[in-house]
Amino acid sequence: MKNKLRFGLALSGGGARGVAHIGVLKALEENGIEPSVISGVSMGAIVASAYGLGIPYEEMVNLIKKEARPLRFRDINLRDMGIFDLDRVEKVFREYAPADDFNALKIPTFIVVSNLNTGRFEIKSGGPFIRWTLASASIPLLFTPQIINNTHYVDGGLTKNMAVKVLKPYCDKTIGVHVNHIANISKFDRIKDIASRVYHLAVYNTILDELNYCDYLIDPPETRNFGVLDFGKADEIFEIGYRQGLQLAKHLNTRKRTFIDTITELRNSIRERLG
């Protein structure tokens, strides 16, 4: 009998859009597909570490909804380095973790962070994992940077918003889950629209080389309907990921060609969307 394929799963950043990762994981697991190795960036790092700790999917979603709250004017203090913190996430991780070490996670896990001092990305896979996970999810200005070994670390998505290449030595096939779908936009009505577009294009350019290492890609267009701070809509975003995960699971289990599985087709698809 042929050995079962080992899958590596790369989870991108995307703020609230990253709740879709939880849906993907649940759908794959329900169909007998569990990653042998995982990487995560920003919200993808939160989900990757939560998965490694065995936190139930429903609890992951509820944690994200409880952690998020509406931004109020009085929250803003220009003397601080961030408006929010990730204390609740840290508390839950410490409750589940037998030890604050990457070895406590059930599969090999890689976390991407941005070194604010050097301006470069770093990939962590050993030693204490909680602070690195929080650092990866610390969107600048919104969340306080993590200071580790006298160095400031922030959102990994700024410099490497999806890490696929690092998984290749540990698996047979890689699955990238990208939740910041890029498509042609015909008009911009507000300065907010322009700012959002510029941010997503800049972040998207950090993953172009990583797409070459994807055997399968989940890139749901529906995530564009949600902002990076739409945590109150976590249940809707979860369902998007769940549906996409079911589609991929069906393809993997039946060997039918229903997903893009060559980089040539992937590039053509991206070119068509961008015009």
Side-chain angles (χ1 to χ4, degrees), residues 112-151:
V112 182
V113 295
S114 293
N115 184 321
L116 198 58
N117 296 83
T118 66
R120 298 176 180 176
F121 75 87
E122 297 178 14
I123 299 179
K124 306 297 181 180
S125 61
F129 77 93
I130 294 178
R131 294 287 301 282
W132 292 123
T133 302
L134 299 179
S136 184
S138 295
I139 301 173
L141 305 182
L142 288 179
F143 294 97
T144 304
Q146 296 290 316
I147 302 176
I148 304 173
N149 299 327
N150 296 317
T151 300

Side-chain angles (χ1 to χ4, degrees), residues 253-271:
N253 285 331
T254 62
R255 302 290 181 177
K256 290 182 180 178
R257 192 175 175 80
T258 59
F259 251 71
I260 296 173
D261 59 2
T262 68
I263 194 60
T264 301
E265 289 176 322
L266 175 59
R267 285 173 173 164
N268 290 341
S269 175
I270 293 172
R271 291 193 185 100

Side-chain angles (χ1 to χ4, degrees), residues 206-244:
T206 71
I207 73 163
L208 290 179
D209 58 328
E210 294 294 321
L211 294 176
N212 292 312
Y213 300 98
C214 288
D215 294 300
Y216 304 94
L217 178 69
I218 290 178
D219 185 22
E222 300 97 320
T223 57
R224 293 177 58 237
N225 299 326
F226 302 90
V228 295
L229 296 179
D230 277 343
F231 293 101
K233 299 178 181 178
D235 292 325
E236 298 173 55
I237 301 171
F238 170 87
E239 288 299 325
I240 291 172
Y242 184 73
R243 291 194 299 269
Q244 291 285 315

Side-chain angles (χ1 to χ4, degrees), residues 53-55 59 63 87-100 104 129-130:
L53 290 173
I55 298 177
E59 185 171 342
L63 171 63
D87 289 349
R88 183 174 178 80
V89 175
E90 180 177 3
K91 180 181 178 181
V92 172
F93 279 2
R94 294 195 183 278
E95 289 174 353
Y96 271 89
D100 182 10
F129 77 93
I130 294 178

